[in-house]
Amino acid sequence: MLSYIARRLLWAIPTLVFVSFISFVIIQLPPGDFVTAYAAQLRNSGDYITEAQEALLRAEWGLNDPLLVQYWRWISNIVLHGDFGRSLEWNAAVSDLIWERLGLTLAISTLSMVFTWLIAIPVGVYSATRQYSVFDYLFTVFGFLGKGIPDFLLALILMWITFVWLNMDVGGLVSPQFEGQPWDLAKIGNMLSHIWIPLVVLATGGAAGLIRVMRANMLDELRKPYVETAYAQGFGERTVVWRYPVRVALNPFISTVGWALPALFSGDVITAVVLNLPTTGPLLLQALKMQDMYLAGSFILILSVFTVIGTVLSDILLALSDPRIRFS
Amino acid sequence: MTTISKTSVPMHEDHIISVRSARKYFPVQEGWMRRVKGYVKAVDDITFDIRKGETFGLVGESGSGKSSIARLILRAYDLTGGEILFRRADGSVIDVSTLSDRDLRDIRREMQMIFQDPYSSLNPRMTLLDLVGEPLVIHGVGSQGEIRDRVAELLRLVGLRPEYLTRYPHAFSGGQRQRIGIARALALNPSFIAADEAVSALDVSVAAQNINLMQDLQEKFGLTYLFITHDLGMVEHISDRIGVMYLGRLMEVGPTDEMFAKPLHPYTEALLAAVPQPDPRGNRARKRVPLKGEIADAMNIPTGCPFHPRCAYADAKCRGEVPELRVVKSGRQVRCHHAETLDLIGVAAE
Amino acid sequence: MSETITKSLSPMPQERLLQLDNVGVHFPTRDGLVKAVNGVSYHVNKGEVLGIVGESGSGKSVTARSIMRLQPKYAINASGTIRYRCKSGEELLINEQDRLGRTMRNLRGNEIGMIFQEPMTALSPVHTIGTQIMRTVMLHRNVSKAEARARAIELLTKVQMPRPNDIVDRFPHHLSGGMRQRAMIALALACDPALLIADEPTTALDVTTEAQILELLKRLQDEMNMAIVFITHNFGVVADIADRVAVMYLGRVVETGTVDEIFYEPKHPYTQALLQSIPRLGRSHGRRLRTIAGMVPDPFNVPTGCSFHPRCMHAVGGICDVQTPEDVVFASGQRARCHFAGQDRQAEAAQ
Amino acid sequence: MTDIHTLSPETLLSPPLAPKEEFNADASYTAKPRTLIWWRFRKHKLAVVSLAFMVILGLLALFADFMSPYGPNTINRLNTFAPPNVVRVIHDGALHRPFVYPLKRTRDPETARVLYQEDRTKVLPVEFFVRGETYALLGLVETNLHFFGVNDRRQQINLLGTDSLGRDLFTRLLYGARVTLSAGLIGVAFSFVLGLALGAISGYYGGWLDAMIQRLMEFIRSIPTIPLWMGLAAALPIAWDPLFVYVLITIILSLIGWTHLARVVRGRFLSLKSEDYVLAARLAGASEYRIVTRHMLPAMTSYIIAALTLAIPEMILGETALSFLGLGLRPPVVSWGVLLQDAQNLRTISLAPWLLAPGIAVVLVVLAFNFIGDGLRDAADPYGQ
């Protein structure tokens, strides 16, 4: 078991290297570079720098070096010094910009994941054990709708509805009058009146898919002979269902737990843009549009690292929960 | 085409198949980059001959490697070692294990296989005409019309109506599908057919119909069968000679009557004793002592005689020395150190 | 309510453990109603092994599951009564019980144990053998966890599992097929049931393992004075283990009798034909096998009259294809559901 | 099922009451696999309805220029944010041929915003085959014939209202369908090529090649999809030709999608490889080519088509999301995502909620593809239980 975890962790290392390299390549893809963009920015504000100065800057930042050298400089700074570089647009260290936003993203993602699970598992089990019942149909319809409606559209519609009916603008994390204010009860209350929308949006999207997965898994498991054995031992229906097939049907679920987190990160990007939340999404979008390379690259890298860690975590959890996998 | 492989003793002219020291090891892979961590010796040092026109039965528990042998003879697998000689219809002898792809195609007109599962062995997306006619099409035998006639004739031969040509397999029952498989195997007039558990999946009454059909066809076309099964009653019924397999090795080879009346290997004795007979009085009279333990893991074959951990007669020699398959009486071979001294019980013929 | 019905039935003899009368189980399907079980009657006495044989589609498993009320939800219990004598001596009308009710739950695993064909899939893959047995023991008996564990080890010893102290903490996928079937038996016997239903328990096993399991079942049956309903399609197995035999064809019992009667004096043409189509060790080498013409009809088109008539060599037009035969009861207690059972012309033909 | 008559001697003594052989000609016995799949698919009502919907939508998109009354980029400054017209048949309590009420414009004195009101006194009949802007039908025939419209130069018919530049949303929705649907199809085609090739190699050859491809897929799955899309999309220079950007975007979308398809293909190949009938074909002397083309591919096509159908909505959602964020297609290209950009802002939505119509279209199309995919998947194996 331990050796399995060790192997799995070892395997994550080349994945991480690969992912970080991809992130770096992506931020290098746009034509021109940091200095070109910088010069353009200066020109916009009426200032200018000479070509010689540009060349000097390039030399100073090592932008003429081969890609691999630049990559090495970037990644070694991150790994050794925790230095993600500077954001051009914000003129601040990337690490100063992202940690707070990452925290909020993580909080929203985790919360919505918990909601997703709390909804999806019982509903999935119910739908499978009462196949073709009225509620099963209702949940199926819900599942399809949840799958069909893009997150951002759901967010827009919810915002619009609350605006029209409650005459409330629920965009942003807090209402404008609270921004920059110290945290107190009123501000927290205000935040709660805002945060339910991203939670509902993210949880709906996730739950819709998971309900269908859980239902399908359960239907498969319920047909297996060991369920009949459990009934033949005299257990009641609830015991049988929750102790045996649910336990097995959860396994593929567990393998998605680690996936769910990065998926929520991804989903959060668009929702957050629509809802104007101070999470990573809008900042990433802005950075990408402005070709703010270190900021964007660091974001992609961090999100990828979360994904890789999530995958490793899933695999380990799966190995722990399913004894059949352990020794193969 | 190589006529005779370099090392071998010439083949007896009555024999159609000669399996000589055949070995098949499957690598067991593990881990993320498929590292080989060991070998399953599915077939290990197997030697036997099949005579022209006879039915050779191969019995053994699951995992004994009996199906692998059929697949080796038909070159569905490549041999790890040894050779398999086949006498063609024109009398020439070839080593199946070294044939090139082109020669192999040619040889497949003469040897065919009947499968166990009548459901998975027929492509559900092809009509009977396509299924039974496929070997003919592949080998370019005849025009479309001729193929059609030939398929109709084959169907009639196995007791199916020629009008069924345009049907798909799902229209047929298990027993009928098995007949379709037989018709397909017969399409190119083979001289040798390997039947791998050909009736095991069928109901008793249907199995009997198909066994009779196979015997009729053998008589009619002078076919040679390799009949693989775990059902000792069935193998006794149909076979002229029998090979008993255990853990990839042949334990005993001999004529059916003699072997079943008086087995030479303790494993054969145990197998015969284990078969429950549709004869309650006989069962009560027979004091049956079930074989202890279970067949070993094919990756961890016991040292010495592979059967020794379960053998009631095993001694130190059995634990240490691997016995050879040797001739004990005329026509009978056995892989046991103590074959001469043991007095084993078979089934009394009526 | 069940009492009034019980009164209208004559009480079961004291030694009777289980009695099925005219049981019918139907399944509605897309292609029509499948009468999987169509008026089955048989009984089991205390401490007796009843073998039930039949080809696929004969309804033997479905009938056995209706004893435990384990059929799928959509199954229709069309007719008949199933009576069971509890350990307390009371008669219980099983077909009247709610399939998920307390009475049935108390019966299952406690009074009636069941083992299945596929030992590979019939045990939960994510729980240890020990956990599965302990849960059953703790469900039906008021014992502590430690006592339940001790019981689990005792049971594993009883089924001759090698190294029971080790196996108790193993998962099913660590065990071979034969060992899993032993674990399954241990699980079924957890609470000393008076009746064990064994549904093709040796079909998936090799002959040598099959012989071991059969010996084990016989020994346990003897030790615990337990009754067994043993379902199989293998006549050899039935001859080996059963005291009495019921032969099923197309959802009906066509013949019942003691094992010797069925094997040496079969009265029903189906039983006779089937016995002749089996190759026997030491008897049939080189001989032609007798066959039964045609094949088992599909369940949507069960023939009229005697359902075996299209395949029967002795069928008589105007009778067999029109009238559904009733049981012919012989002096010994043997019964055959054939219009001509015991009559000469048929006995001749059987020679 | 059918009757057997064997050539075995004992059955020559056939049972006296054996039924006369009748030739039971059930159509399903000789039906081609394709027909069986269609019969099964037909039972899935939602899927059939969805298929009909998609066929209609596809035709509408193909003939968008004919089916729409105006041009997608025709600006009408006098008609901005006009609400949708309702097509009516009853005027003054009497049945009338289909018509709309013309809109009357007033200006809100405080906000200076244009307000629209139906003028219930006048009737603007909906005309068919009217003359309008000139276009080239299917890029071939020059014509100015439109399927419907109104014969009034001062009034328009806007079934879904207009946007901030007074462009007809219905027209733009149809033109957008062209881009969005084809982006989905082309993206799936790209990932199909990748997925089929790698999945087939992986499943058919196995061994270390399989291991390598599996590892590669794991790598790709460890990259968070949306940030990667965004990163790649942002790397496309604004100056490039919109058509070229469109192709690149579909390639980016397919870069992620192929792993799923490869998994499906590999799984099918693996399970088919061990089928007895494949071995049977090999033993009959069939070449590898014949085995793959005659035995394996026919058995997988229905599964692959189902998987493809289920992948299309993912692509459509991807395009919509990217364009919505301003990273994908950009105006003047008209796609549903581009159209939805107009609806980003809460004020605009509350002013002109009809701008969400492209969103509804996305939902309907995504659902339709999902239903069709589900139906296909259920019907894919007509020989299963």
Side-chain angles (χ1 to χ4, degrees):
Chain A
M1 185 65 215
L2 274 176
S3 82
Y4 174 79
I5 294 177
R7 254 194 329 215
R8 199 64 195 76
L9 287 175
L10 270 179
W11 180 245
I13 292 171
T15 316
L16 283 175
V17 172
F18 176 80
V19 161
S20 67
F21 187 69
I22 291 283
S23 313
F24 189 74
V25 170
I26 289 173
I27 59 176
Q28 295 285 351
L29 273 182
D33 58 24
F34 183 82
V35 174
T36 329
Y38 184 55
Q41 201 191 30
L42 285 177
R43 256 196 307 283
N44 280 347
S45 55
D47 214 340
Y48 71 96
I49 50 173
T50 61
E51 298 236 332
Q53 278 173 304
E54 274 188 35
L56 208 66
L57 279 175
R58 283 207 175 86
E60 188 187 324
W61 282 316
L63 295 181
N64 295 323
D65 296 341
L67 191 68
L68 277 174
V69 175
Q70 290 194 52
Y71 166 70
W72 174 248
R73 195 177 311 127
W74 180 65
I75 197 74
S76 60
N77 270 336
I78 292 175
V79 174
L80 300 178
H81 312 293
D83 177 9
F84 288 88
R86 284 187 79 74
S87 159
L88 163 78
E89 201 198 350
W90 297 76
N91 195 20
V94 167
S95 41
D96 293 343
L97 287 171
I98 56 176
W99 291 122
E100 194 188 332
R101 282 169 178 262
L102 266 179
L104 190 62
T105 306
L106 196 68
I108 290 178
S109 299
T110 317
L111 262 179
S112 53
M113 193 166 80
V114 170
F115 275 123
T116 306
W117 280 59
L118 285 181
I119 299 168
I121 294 175
V123 169
V125 172
Y126 178 90
S127 268
T129 48
R130 299 278 180 276
Q131 201 186 0
Y132 305 134
S133 66
V134 177
F135 277 103
D136 179 30
Y137 279 117
L138 278 181
F139 291 136
T140 307
V141 169
F142 169 76
F144 272 118
L145 280 179
K147 211 173 165 186
I149 302 181
D151 283 355
F152 66 89
L153 193 65
L154 186 60
L156 275 176
I157 293 172
L158 283 178
M159 260 168 66
W160 177 47
I161 289 174
T162 44
F163 183 76
V164 172
W165 286 4
L166 305 173
N167 203 16
M168 228 168 85
D169 184 352
V170 285
L173 189 65
V174 288
S175 300
Q177 69 266 28
F178 288 101
E179 256 167 49
Q181 298 285 318
W183 285 95
D184 56 16
L185 274 180
K187 188 174 176 182
I188 291 175
N190 183 268
M191 186 192 77
L192 288 179
S193 74
H194 283 245
I195 204 161
W196 67 272
I197 288 197
L199 287 187
V200 166
V201 170
L202 293 175
T204 312
L210 286 186
I211 286 173
R212 291 187 62 71
V213 174
M214 188 68 192
R215 178 174 181 272
N217 285 351
M218 276 301 285
L219 285 177
D220 277 355
E221 289 304 323
L222 283 172
R223 264 184 232 120
K224 299 218 170 131
Y226 69 84
V227 176
E228 192 176 31
T229 309
Y231 275 116
Q233 299 313 306
F235 293 109
E237 192 187 14
R238 191 170 305 165
T239 320
V240 170
V241 169
W242 284 93
R243 236 187 229 174
Y244 298 90
V246 170
R247 180 80 170 62
V248 184
L250 275 179
N251 285 335
F253 245 64
I254 290 167
S255 72
T256 62
V257 103
W259 291 95
L261 217 58
L264 282 169
F265 270 119
S266 289
D268 160 82
V269 173
I270 302 174
T271 315
V273 169
V274 174
L275 293 173
N276 189 23
L277 293 177
T279 55
T280 47
L283 193 61
L284 170 61
L285 181 66
Q286 188 64 14
L288 284 170
K289 280 182 169 170
M290 295 300 293
Q291 304 196 359
D292 193 349
M293 58 185 258
Y294 286 123
L295 186 56
S298 305
F299 263 130
I300 295 179
L301 176 66
I302 290 171
L303 292 179
S304 306
V305 168
F306 271 118
T307 314
V308 172
I309 292 174
T311 318
V312 174
L313 210 70
S314 300
D315 284 359
I316 292 173
L317 277 178
L318 189 61
L320 283 175
S321 72
D322 191 341
R324 285 169 298 182
I325 290 174
R326 231 173 267 177
F327 297 97
S328 61
Chain B
M1 193 180 286
T2 30
T3 333
I4 277 203
S5 118
K6 53 274 157 201
T7 56
S8 54
V9 200
M11 199 169 161
H12 191 285
E13 62 184 26
D14 285 350
H15 293 167
I16 183 162
I17 296 270
S18 185
V19 178
R20 296 174 175 187
S21 308
R23 282 190 302 279
K24 177 67 191 173
Y25 299 167
F26 290 103
V28 178
Q29 292 168 326
E30 186 198 52
W32 291 49
M33 287 322 277
R34 318 276 149 94
R35 204 158 31 86
V36 174
K37 71 167 186 187
Y39 289 93
V40 168
K41 299 184 175 179
V43 169
D44 200 6
D45 193 18
I46 296 273
T47 299
F48 68 93
D49 303 305
I50 302 177
R51 293 177 194 151
K52 224 181 266 178
E54 78 169 348
T55 300
F56 187 86
L58 211 48
V59 285
E61 294 173 87
S62 54
S64 62
K66 52 192 192 305
S67 288
S68 300
I69 293 197
R71 283 165 168 72
L72 284 174
I73 293 177
L74 292 159
R75 252 301 273 289
Y77 300 154
D78 286 331
L79 274 180
T80 307
E83 58 188 11
I84 291 172
L85 303 185
F86 175 65
R87 184 180 303 282
R88 307 197 54 177
D90 60 12
S92 64
V93 173
I94 46 135
D95 181 355
V96 178
S97 59
T98 58
L99 287 181
S100 70
D101 280 358
R102 210 165 47 88
D103 295 339
L104 200 60
R105 251 186 81 175
D106 209 34
I107 208 74
R108 285 197 165 135
R109 288 161 158 248
E110 298 183 34
M111 44 203 324
Q112 271 303 320
M113 179 147 162
I114 300 171
F115 291 86
Q116 167 174 18
D117 183 350
Y119 291 88
S120 77
S121 56
L122 299 177
N123 187 343
R125 287 169 180 77
M126 290 170 106
T127 60
L128 292 206
L129 174 62
D130 292 336
L131 278 167
V132 179
E134 187 178 34
L136 301 167
V137 173
I138 290 170
H139 293 274
V141 183
S143 66
Q144 250 183 357
E146 284 165 356
I147 288 177
R148 201 183 175 86
D149 293 344
R150 170 83 176 132
V151 172
E153 183 200 327
L154 284 164
L155 289 183
R156 218 173 287 120
L157 198 62
V158 297
L160 292 171
R161 300 166 60 126
E163 293 94 317
Y164 293 162
L165 271 181
T166 53
R167 293 194 175 184
Y168 288 85
H170 70 100
F172 299 92
S173 70
Q176 289 172 313
R177 287 183 194 213
Q178 202 59 285
R179 284 160 185 257
I180 299 168
I182 293 173
R184 185 182 152 99
L186 288 176
L188 292 166
N189 282 323
S191 52
F192 171 78
I193 291 182
D196 185 5
E197 302 271 12
V199 295
S200 305
L202 304 179
D203 268 324
V204 179
S205 59
V206 181
Q209 291 170 357
N210 281 11
I211 282 292
N212 286 345
L213 171 67
M214 283 181 65
Q215 288 185 310
D216 292 339
L217 292 171
Q218 179 171 38
E219 227 164 87
K220 194 163 176 178
F221 299 111
L223 294 170
T224 308
Y225 285 137
L226 171 63
F227 193 87
I228 295 164
T229 179
H230 63 269
D231 181 339
L232 275 89
M234 201 56 93
V235 86
E236 189 209 22
H237 169 70
I238 196 168
S239 311
D240 301 304
R241 291 190 310 128
I242 290 177
V244 180
M245 285 193 72
Y246 187 76
L247 275 177
R249 289 171 187 255
L250 263 181
M251 289 300 167
E252 184 172 358
V253 183
T256 309
D257 300 346
E258 288 178 40
M259 187 198 285
F260 276 35
K262 186 131 184 55
L264 291 176
H265 198 288
Y267 179 62
T268 316
E269 181 193 40
L271 268 185
L272 289 172
V275 182
Q277 286 294 296
D279 174 15
R281 283 173 198 151
N283 282 342
R284 281 191 289 267
R286 233 166 19 133
K287 193 85 196 100
R288 295 205 299 155
V289 184
L291 195 59
K292 58 188 176 181
E294 288 176 359
I295 195 162
D297 175 8
M299 281 196 59
N300 270 317
I301 293 181
T303 55
C305 173
F307 184 61
H308 86 256
R310 304 176 74 186
C311 182
Y313 312 99
D315 60 12
K317 190 176 181 194
C318 302
R319 284 187 283 275
E321 252 178 77
V322 183
E324 291 298 314
L325 187 69
R326 58 206 168 88
V327 179
V328 178
K329 295 176 193 168
S330 98
R332 302 201 54 184
Q333 289 164 284
V334 65
R335 194 189 276 276
C336 175
H337 293 302
H338 307 293
E340 288 85 351
T341 51
L342 293 174
D343 184 25
L344 303 174
I345 306 162
V347 270
E350 205 171 67
Chain C
M1 187 191 91
S2 68
E3 260 176 40
T4 50
I5 292 177
T6 323
K7 265 174 202 158
S8 68
L9 296 162
S10 55
M12 298 197 293
Q14 257 321 302
E15 76 280 5
R16 185 119 333 152
L17 188 63
L18 174 77
Q19 185 164 332
L20 283 75
D21 289 295
N22 192 32
V23 171
V25 183
H26 302 174
F27 296 102
T29 69
R30 243 186 296 173
D31 306 307
L33 190 70
V34 174
K35 295 182 176 175
V37 177
N38 200 4
V40 163
S41 308
Y42 58 70
H43 67 264
V44 186
N45 291 331
K46 287 178 182 166
E48 157 186 82
V49 181
L50 175 70
I52 300 188
V53 271
E55 294 179 283
S56 56
S58 61
K60 47 196 194 304
S61 282
V62 178
T63 318
R65 276 169 173 71
S66 65
I67 299 172
M68 291 282 256
R69 301 296 314 275
L70 279 178
Q71 318 104 309
K73 265 179 244 173
Y74 56 85
I76 302 166
N77 290 308
S79 64
T81 54
I82 302 173
R83 284 179 285 168
Y84 176 76
R85 190 180 299 286
C86 299
K87 282 175 184 168
S88 58
E90 241 180 305
E91 269 185 43
L92 181 74
L93 251 182
I94 287 181
N95 55 299
E96 292 277 300
Q97 302 303 322
D98 176 24
R99 53 185 286 274
L100 294 170
R102 180 180 293 272
T103 322
M104 276 324 292
R105 280 189 278 144
N106 269 333
L107 216 57
R108 295 184 194 135
N110 191 19
E111 301 227 8
I112 308 178
M114 186 153 183
I115 51 181
F116 300 92
Q117 174 173 1
E118 287 292 335
M120 298 292 166
T121 49
L123 292 167
S124 163
V126 291
H127 298 98
T128 62
I129 304 290
T131 313
Q132 300 188 44
I133 299 177
M134 282 158 66
R135 279 184 178 167
T136 308
V137 175
M138 284 155 76
L139 176 71
H140 295 293
R141 294 190 175 169
N142 194 11
V143 293
S144 71
K145 217 169 167 179
E147 287 168 314
R149 188 181 161 85
R151 172 77 180 148
I153 295 173
E154 181 196 331
L155 282 161
L156 290 177
T157 317
K158 202 168 176 176
V159 296
Q160 299 169 343
M161 185 77 92
R163 310 183 311 280
N165 283 309
D166 172 35
I167 297 292
V168 78
D169 293 319
R170 292 302 187 105
F171 289 95
H173 65 275
H174 293 142
L175 310 183
S176 68
M179 276 157 83
R180 280 184 220 196
Q181 199 55 287
R182 283 174 201 272
M184 191 67 229
I185 296 171
L187 184 62
L189 300 184
C191 299
D192 295 312
L195 176 66
L196 178 71
I197 299 173
D199 187 3
E200 306 249 8
T202 59
T203 305
L205 305 174
D206 274 318
V207 258
T208 55
T209 319
E210 174 180 78
Q212 292 170 354
I213 297 289
L214 288 177
E215 280 308 306
L216 174 70
L217 281 175
K218 279 195 272 189
R219 203 179 48 80
L220 291 171
Q221 187 256 339
D222 202 39
E223 272 174 29
M224 302 170 62
N225 192 31
M226 167 178 73
I228 300 180
V229 173
F230 195 103
I231 300 157
T232 179
H233 66 269
N234 185 329
F235 272 80
V237 170
V238 140
D240 193 43
I241 195 166
D243 299 316
R244 286 192 309 114
V245 177
V247 183
M248 287 187 70
Y249 183 73
L250 276 183
R252 291 213 157 107
V253 173
V254 294
E255 184 164 7
T256 49
T258 64
V259 67
D260 286 15
E261 283 165 349
I262 294 291
F263 281 89
Y264 304 117
E265 297 152 43
K267 297 290 197 298
H268 196 285
Y270 175 65
T271 319
Q272 294 165 349
L274 215 48
L275 281 169
Q276 284 168 350
S277 66
I278 309 166
R280 298 175 185 212
L281 277 185
R283 303 229 180 131
S284 59
H285 177 58
R287 287 184 204 170
R288 254 195 112 72
L289 290 174
R290 297 287 290 264
T291 60
I292 305 179
M295 56 197 186
V296 183
D298 74 65
F300 303 106
N301 296 312
V302 176
T304 54
C306 170
S307 50
F308 185 59
H309 84 260
R311 304 177 71 189
C312 180
M313 298 306 283
H314 318 293
V316 174
I319 300 176
C320 296
D321 54 346
V322 183
Q323 289 170 301
T324 308
E326 288 301 317
D327 270 352
V328 175
V329 186
F330 295 86
S332 62
Q334 187 176 5
R335 290 160 170 264
R337 195 181 275 270
C338 171
H339 293 294
F340 302 102
Q343 292 179 20
D344 285 349
R345 49 177 299 226
Q346 193 210 320
E348 273 167 37
Q351 289 309 305
Chain D
M1 290 216 182
T2 47
D3 312 304
I4 242 181
H5 60 131
T6 60
L7 79 182
S8 314
E10 64 264 63
T11 36
L12 297 177
L13 309 163
S14 69
L17 293 184
K20 285 280 161 283
E21 279 181 36
E22 37 187 296
F23 194 74
N24 182 352
D26 189 319
S28 79
Y29 292 162
T30 52
K32 287 201 165 56
R34 224 179 301 140
T35 321
L36 286 178
I37 291 176
W38 171 239
W39 285 350
R40 273 219 181 177
F41 181 79
R42 246 176 10 190
K43 286 189 187 155
H44 200 308
K45 292 281 175 292
L46 265 176
V48 177
V49 172
S50 303
L51 187 65
F53 171 74
M54 283 317 302
V55 168
I56 293 171
L57 187 64
L59 287 174
L60 281 178
L62 194 63
F63 297 103
D65 22 25
F66 171 66
M67 296 308 298
S68 59
Y70 306 105
N73 296 313
T74 314
I75 292 169
N76 185 347
R77 296 277 178 203
L78 291 174
N79 203 26
T80 56
F81 288 129
N85 293 119
V86 181
V87 178
R88 299 168 196 265
V89 285
I90 293 175
H91 178 63
D92 269 353
L95 209 60
H96 197 278
R97 61 175 289 191
F99 69 95
V100 295
Y101 287 120
L103 294 176
K104 242 198 318 212
R105 288 171 197 80
T106 50
R107 204 170 275 275
D108 189 317
E110 278 169 44
T111 58
R113 188 183 288 159
V114 180
L115 296 176
Y116 293 91
Q117 212 171 13
E118 282 185 335
D119 179 359
R120 300 243 167 174
T121 57
K122 276 184 252 167
V123 161
L124 201 56
V126 178
E127 310 279 346
F128 292 95
F129 303 106
V130 293
R131 301 283 160 184
E133 287 167 52
T134 310
Y135 61 91
L137 187 65
L138 294 175
L140 301 170
V141 192
E142 192 99 338
T143 175
N144 63 354
L145 201 65
H146 291 260
F147 181 60
F148 71 95
V150 285
N151 277 328
D152 186 328
R153 247 181 302 149
R154 292 179 49 94
Q155 288 290 344
Q156 285 195 332
I157 177 168
N158 305 118
L159 291 181
L160 294 173
T162 62
D163 65 6
S164 56
L165 295 175
R167 293 174 292 197
D168 179 39
L169 194 57
F170 178 74
T171 303
R172 287 170 68 76
L173 192 72
L174 289 192
Y175 278 88
R178 276 186 179 174
V179 174
T180 298
L181 293 182
S182 61
L185 291 174
I186 294 175
V188 161
F190 277 124
S191 47
F192 169 70
V193 171
L194 265 176
L196 185 68
L198 289 172
I201 291 170
S202 205
Y204 193 76
Y205 290 104
W208 65 269
L209 211 58
D210 180 32
M212 292 273 293
I213 292 171
Q214 290 304 303
R215 295 296 88 78
L216 176 69
M217 281 163 58
E218 262 166 50
F219 268 135
I220 288 177
R221 287 192 311 170
S222 335
I223 303 169
T225 332
I226 290 179
L228 179 72
W229 278 354
M230 288 169 62
L232 289 174
L236 303 178
I238 304 175
W240 284 3
D241 178 39
L243 194 70
F244 189 53
V245 171
Y246 161 80
V247 172
L248 285 178
I249 291 277
T250 55
I251 292 179
I252 292 172
L253 294 175
S254 65
L255 271 185
I256 311 296
W258 72 269
T259 54
H260 174 72
L261 274 173
R263 233 192 353 246
V264 173
V265 171
R266 173 174 178 269
R268 291 303 303 166
F269 256 110
L270 278 182
S271 70
L272 282 173
K273 209 167 64 167
S274 59
E275 287 280 353
D276 276 351
Y277 68 76
V278 170
L279 177 59
R282 188 163 290 143
L283 292 185
S287 58
E288 292 294 298
Y289 175 76
R290 185 185 172 87
I291 288 169
V292 171
T293 53
R294 293 270 305 176
H295 293 274
M296 298 177 90
L297 285 181
M300 343 187 5
T301 38
S302 44
Y303 291 89
I304 292 176
I305 292 173
L308 284 176
T309 314
L310 289 171
I312 294 174
E314 301 293 319
M315 300 286 172
I316 290 177
L317 283 177
E319 184 278 322
T320 317
L322 280 182
S323 304
F324 177 76
L325 290 176
L327 291 173
L329 304 177
R330 300 183 177 101
V333 175
V334 183
S335 83
W336 289 351
V338 171
L339 291 180
L340 279 172
Q341 275 183 20
D342 292 342
Q344 253 183 17
N345 161 327
L346 194 51
R347 307 277 153 196
T348 324
I349 302 177
S350 47
L351 180 70
W354 51 88
L355 289 180
L356 285 175
I360 309 293
V362 171
V363 174
L364 288 179
V365 164
V366 168
L367 283 181
F369 273 115
N370 270 308
F371 288 135
I372 297 172
D374 264 14
L376 279 174
R377 199 170 42 190
D378 292 351
D381 182 10
Y383 305 103
Q385 312 308 303

